[in-house]
Short mmCIF file of all heavy atoms in Angstrom, two decimals:
data_model
loop_
_atom_site.label_atom_id
_atom_site.label_comp_id
_atom_site.label_asym_id
_atom_site.label_seq_id
_atom_site.Cartn_x
_atom_site.Cartn_y
_atom_site.Cartn_z
N GLY A 1 0.81 -1.21 0.00
CA GLY A 1 0.00 0.00 0.00
C GLY A 1 0.85 1.27 0.00
O GLY A 1 0.57 2.22 -0.74
N PRO A 2 1.93 1.33 0.82
CA PRO A 2 2.79 2.51 0.78
C PRO A 2 3.47 2.73 -0.57
O PRO A 2 3.81 3.87 -0.91
CB PRO A 2 3.83 2.21 1.87
CG PRO A 2 3.11 1.33 2.84
CD PRO A 2 2.26 0.45 1.96
N THR A 3 3.66 1.66 -1.34
CA THR A 3 4.22 1.83 -2.68
C THR A 3 3.22 2.56 -3.57
O THR A 3 3.56 3.54 -4.24
CB THR A 3 4.57 0.46 -3.28
OG1 THR A 3 5.68 -0.10 -2.58
CG2 THR A 3 4.92 0.56 -4.76
N SER A 4 1.98 2.07 -3.60
CA SER A 4 0.97 2.70 -4.44
C SER A 4 0.77 4.16 -4.03
O SER A 4 0.70 5.06 -4.89
CB SER A 4 -0.36 1.94 -4.32
OG SER A 4 -0.21 0.60 -4.74
N THR A 5 0.68 4.42 -2.73
CA THR A 5 0.45 5.78 -2.24
C THR A 5 1.68 6.65 -2.42
O THR A 5 1.61 7.76 -2.98
CB THR A 5 0.05 5.75 -0.75
OG1 THR A 5 -1.12 4.95 -0.60
CG2 THR A 5 -0.20 7.14 -0.23
N GLY A 6 2.83 6.16 -1.97
CA GLY A 6 4.04 6.97 -1.98
C GLY A 6 4.56 7.28 -3.37
O GLY A 6 4.94 8.43 -3.66
N LEU A 7 4.59 6.27 -4.25
CA LEU A 7 5.10 6.51 -5.59
C LEU A 7 4.16 7.38 -6.40
O LEU A 7 4.60 8.20 -7.21
CB LEU A 7 5.35 5.18 -6.31
CG LEU A 7 6.47 4.30 -5.76
CD1 LEU A 7 6.67 3.07 -6.64
CD2 LEU A 7 7.78 5.07 -5.64
N THR A 8 2.86 7.21 -6.22
CA THR A 8 1.91 8.04 -6.95
C THR A 8 2.11 9.51 -6.62
O THR A 8 2.11 10.37 -7.52
CB THR A 8 0.47 7.61 -6.64
OG1 THR A 8 0.29 6.25 -7.04
CG2 THR A 8 -0.54 8.47 -7.39
N GLN A 9 2.29 9.83 -5.35
CA GLN A 9 2.51 11.22 -4.95
C GLN A 9 3.84 11.74 -5.49
O GLN A 9 3.96 12.91 -5.87
CB GLN A 9 2.49 11.33 -3.43
CG GLN A 9 1.15 11.05 -2.80
CD GLN A 9 1.22 10.98 -1.28
OE1 GLN A 9 2.30 11.17 -0.68
NE2 GLN A 9 0.10 10.69 -0.64
N ALA A 10 4.86 10.88 -5.53
CA ALA A 10 6.21 11.32 -5.89
C ALA A 10 6.45 11.38 -7.39
O ALA A 10 7.02 12.35 -7.90
CB ALA A 10 7.24 10.42 -5.23
N ILE A 11 6.01 10.34 -8.11
CA ILE A 11 6.34 10.28 -9.54
C ILE A 11 5.13 10.07 -10.43
O ILE A 11 5.26 9.91 -11.65
CB ILE A 11 7.39 9.17 -9.82
CG1 ILE A 11 6.85 7.79 -9.43
CG2 ILE A 11 8.70 9.49 -9.11
CD1 ILE A 11 7.78 6.64 -9.80
N GLY A 12 3.92 10.04 -9.83
CA GLY A 12 2.71 9.92 -10.63
C GLY A 12 2.43 8.53 -11.13
O GLY A 12 1.62 8.33 -12.03
N LEU A 13 3.06 7.52 -10.54
CA LEU A 13 2.89 6.13 -10.95
C LEU A 13 3.05 5.26 -9.71
O LEU A 13 4.09 5.31 -9.05
CB LEU A 13 3.95 5.74 -12.00
CG LEU A 13 4.00 4.29 -12.45
CD1 LEU A 13 2.82 3.96 -13.35
CD2 LEU A 13 5.31 4.01 -13.19
N GLY A 14 2.03 4.46 -9.39
CA GLY A 14 2.08 3.64 -8.19
C GLY A 14 2.77 2.31 -8.38
O GLY A 14 2.48 1.34 -7.68
N LYS A 15 3.70 2.24 -9.32
CA LYS A 15 4.42 1.00 -9.62
C LYS A 15 5.90 1.33 -9.82
O LYS A 15 6.29 2.49 -9.88
CB LYS A 15 3.90 0.37 -10.92
CG LYS A 15 2.41 0.12 -10.97
CD LYS A 15 2.00 -0.46 -12.33
CE LYS A 15 0.49 -0.68 -12.42
NZ LYS A 15 0.11 -1.27 -13.72
N GLY A 16 6.69 0.28 -9.96
CA GLY A 16 8.11 0.47 -10.24
C GLY A 16 8.35 1.01 -11.63
O GLY A 16 7.49 0.95 -12.51
N THR A 17 9.55 1.54 -11.83
CA THR A 17 9.89 2.13 -13.13
C THR A 17 10.86 1.28 -13.94
O THR A 17 11.07 1.57 -15.13
CB THR A 17 10.52 3.52 -12.94
OG1 THR A 17 11.75 3.39 -12.22
CG2 THR A 17 9.59 4.44 -12.17
N VAL A 18 11.46 0.26 -13.34
CA VAL A 18 12.48 -0.51 -14.07
C VAL A 18 11.86 -1.73 -14.74
O VAL A 18 10.78 -2.18 -14.38
CB VAL A 18 13.63 -0.96 -13.14
CG1 VAL A 18 14.26 0.21 -12.43
CG2 VAL A 18 13.14 -1.99 -12.14
N GLU A 19 12.56 -2.22 -15.73
CA GLU A 19 12.24 -3.52 -16.33
C GLU A 19 13.47 -4.40 -16.22
O GLU A 19 14.56 -3.94 -15.85
CB GLU A 19 11.76 -3.37 -17.76
CG GLU A 19 12.62 -2.55 -18.67
CD GLU A 19 11.94 -2.28 -20.00
OE1 GLU A 19 11.29 -3.21 -20.52
OE2 GLU A 19 12.05 -1.17 -20.52
N LEU A 20 13.31 -5.67 -16.54
CA LEU A 20 14.39 -6.63 -16.28
C LEU A 20 15.68 -6.26 -17.01
O LEU A 20 16.78 -6.43 -16.48
CB LEU A 20 13.92 -8.04 -16.66
CG LEU A 20 14.67 -9.21 -16.03
CD1 LEU A 20 14.69 -9.11 -14.52
CD2 LEU A 20 14.05 -10.53 -16.47
N ASP A 21 15.56 -5.72 -18.23
CA ASP A 21 16.76 -5.35 -18.99
C ASP A 21 17.60 -4.29 -18.29
O ASP A 21 18.80 -4.17 -18.55
CB ASP A 21 16.37 -4.86 -20.38
CG ASP A 21 15.91 -5.99 -21.29
OD1 ASP A 21 16.12 -7.17 -20.92
OD2 ASP A 21 15.33 -5.70 -22.36
N ASP A 22 16.98 -3.48 -17.43
CA ASP A 22 17.74 -2.44 -16.74
C ASP A 22 18.84 -3.02 -15.87
O ASP A 22 19.87 -2.36 -15.63
CB ASP A 22 16.81 -1.57 -15.89
CG ASP A 22 16.00 -0.59 -16.71
OD1 ASP A 22 16.59 0.09 -17.57
OD2 ASP A 22 14.78 -0.50 -16.50
N PHE A 23 18.66 -4.26 -15.40
CA PHE A 23 19.70 -4.88 -14.57
C PHE A 23 20.95 -5.22 -15.39
O PHE A 23 22.00 -5.48 -14.82
CB PHE A 23 19.15 -6.13 -13.88
CG PHE A 23 18.22 -5.82 -12.74
CD1 PHE A 23 16.87 -5.59 -12.96
CD2 PHE A 23 18.69 -5.71 -11.44
CE1 PHE A 23 16.00 -5.29 -11.92
CE2 PHE A 23 17.83 -5.41 -10.39
CZ PHE A 23 16.48 -5.19 -10.63
N ASP A 24 20.83 -5.20 -16.72
CA ASP A 24 22.00 -5.41 -17.59
C ASP A 24 22.80 -4.13 -17.77
O ASP A 24 23.91 -4.17 -18.32
CB ASP A 24 21.56 -5.92 -18.96
CG ASP A 24 20.91 -7.28 -18.90
OD1 ASP A 24 21.25 -8.06 -17.98
OD2 ASP A 24 20.05 -7.58 -19.75
N HIS A 25 22.27 -2.99 -17.34
CA HIS A 25 22.91 -1.70 -17.63
C HIS A 25 23.23 -0.89 -16.38
O HIS A 25 23.82 0.18 -16.50
CB HIS A 25 22.00 -0.87 -18.54
CG HIS A 25 21.61 -1.56 -19.81
ND1 HIS A 25 22.50 -1.77 -20.85
CD2 HIS A 25 20.44 -2.14 -20.20
CE1 HIS A 25 21.89 -2.43 -21.83
NE2 HIS A 25 20.64 -2.66 -21.46
N CYS A 26 22.87 -1.37 -15.22
CA CYS A 26 23.12 -0.60 -14.00
C CYS A 26 24.57 -0.76 -13.55
O CYS A 26 25.23 -1.76 -13.84
CB CYS A 26 22.17 -1.03 -12.90
SG CYS A 26 22.38 -2.74 -12.37
N ASP A 27 25.04 0.22 -12.80
CA ASP A 27 26.35 0.13 -12.13
C ASP A 27 26.19 -0.34 -10.69
O ASP A 27 27.12 -0.88 -10.11
CB ASP A 27 27.04 1.49 -12.12
CG ASP A 27 27.50 1.94 -13.49
OD1 ASP A 27 27.65 1.09 -14.38
OD2 ASP A 27 27.68 3.16 -13.68
#
C-alpha cells in the first residue's frame, strides 16, 4: 500500500519504473 500511495505522490505512478533489462545496464 505505501508503494501505491508513496510513488503516486512522488512520480505519478504507483508502480516500479524498471524492467528486467535495466539490470543489464546498471552500475
Side-chain angles (χ1 to χ4, degrees):
T3 291
S4 300
T5 302
L7 293 185
T8 299
Q9 293 172 1
I11 61 174
L13 174 74
K15 306 177 182 182
T17 63
V18 304
E19 51 189 320
L20 201 55
D21 287 347
D22 284 313
F23 286 86
D24 296 331
H25 304 288
C26 63
D27 291 339

